[in-house]
Amino acid sequence: MRETAPMIHGLSLHYYTVDWANKGSATGFTEKEWFKVLKKTLFMDELIKRHATIMDKYDPNRRVGLMVDEWGTWYDVEPGTNPGFLYQQNSLRDALVAGINLNIFNQHCGRVRMANIAQTINVLQAVVSDGRWQDGADAHLPRLRDVQSAPGRHAAAF
């Protein structure tokens, strides 16, 4: 950061709430596993604090943002699905993980400038589609290109 801070806009951070050795089921979990996931989720706060401390040393004006560009849960794929597609069903536990993370990002908004949940359609913790969008059945849903950009910002479009 010492050398690059003047040349970059953001520093990337990825963190998944997962035990890589035993990811477990997205829906068939014990109470102990429920709380283990929530505890791992809370670690995001410590990660951001540690990164911010180092960044503050080299970028005290906070010009460079911390970009949490991949975060969320990651479990074993659902039985009977293609393992390469990483499909997992969501539960209330995943909603709590998302809410906790969004609250943490908000608490650190002075440094966190971007936070993207990873894999947003039919993968990992995601919006689950029944496939009708491929036939145009979701034409009533807003698209990113339809969102007005805030003053001084550029809206992305696809």
Side-chain angles (χ1 to χ4, degrees):
M1 259 231 39
R2 182 178 57 242
E3 287 83 21
T4 59
M7 298 179 279
I8 63 174
H9 295 285
L11 182 67
S12 174
L13 171 64
H14 294 202
Y15 178 68
Y16 288 97
T17 301
V18 63
D19 176 353
W20 291 105
N22 181 24
K23 292 184 276 188
S25 171
T27 56
F29 48 86
T30 65
E31 184 176 327
K32 182 178 179 182
E33 291 168 322
W34 171 282
F35 286 108
K36 182 179 179 181
V37 166
L38 295 183
K39 182 178 179 183
K40 288 185 74 66
T41 297
L42 292 170
F43 183 63
M44 179 65 83
D45 188 58
E46 185 175 336
L47 279 175
I48 292 173
K49 285 178 183 175
R50 288 179 182 183
H51 280 74
T53 298
I54 294 167
M55 293 173 78
D56 287 348
K57 179 177 178 182
Y58 298 105
D59 179 32
N61 294 328
R62 295 183 171 201
R63 192 189 68 74
V64 177
L66 183 58
M67 311 302 193
V68 187
D69 52 2
E70 287 193 30
W71 63 272
T73 57
W74 194 324
Y75 308 114
D76 293 329
V77 298
E78 291 296 309
T81 64
N82 184 328
F85 294 159
L86 303 177
Y87 175 79
Q88 64 186 40
Q89 182 60 51
N90 294 311
S91 71
L92 178 60
R93 178 174 68 161
D94 301 301
L96 289 172
V97 167
I100 290 167
N101 276 292
L102 292 171
N103 186 51
I104 290 168
F105 301 146
N106 189 53
Q107 290 174 9
H108 296 284
C109 63
R111 186 54 88 173
V112 175
R113 305 275 171 72
M114 180 177 79
N116 303 329
I117 195 164
Q119 314 293 339
T120 57
I121 305 294
N122 292 343
V123 179
L124 303 178
Q125 69 296 307
V127 173
V128 178
S129 168
D130 63 5
R132 289 184 295 164
W133 62 272
Q134 295 172 345
D135 300 323
D138 69 339
H140 64 285
L141 298 175
R143 300 288 194 274
L144 185 57
R145 68 175 174 264
D146 299 328
V147 176
Q148 297 295 317
S149 62
R153 303 275 183 182
H154 299 283
F158 27 88

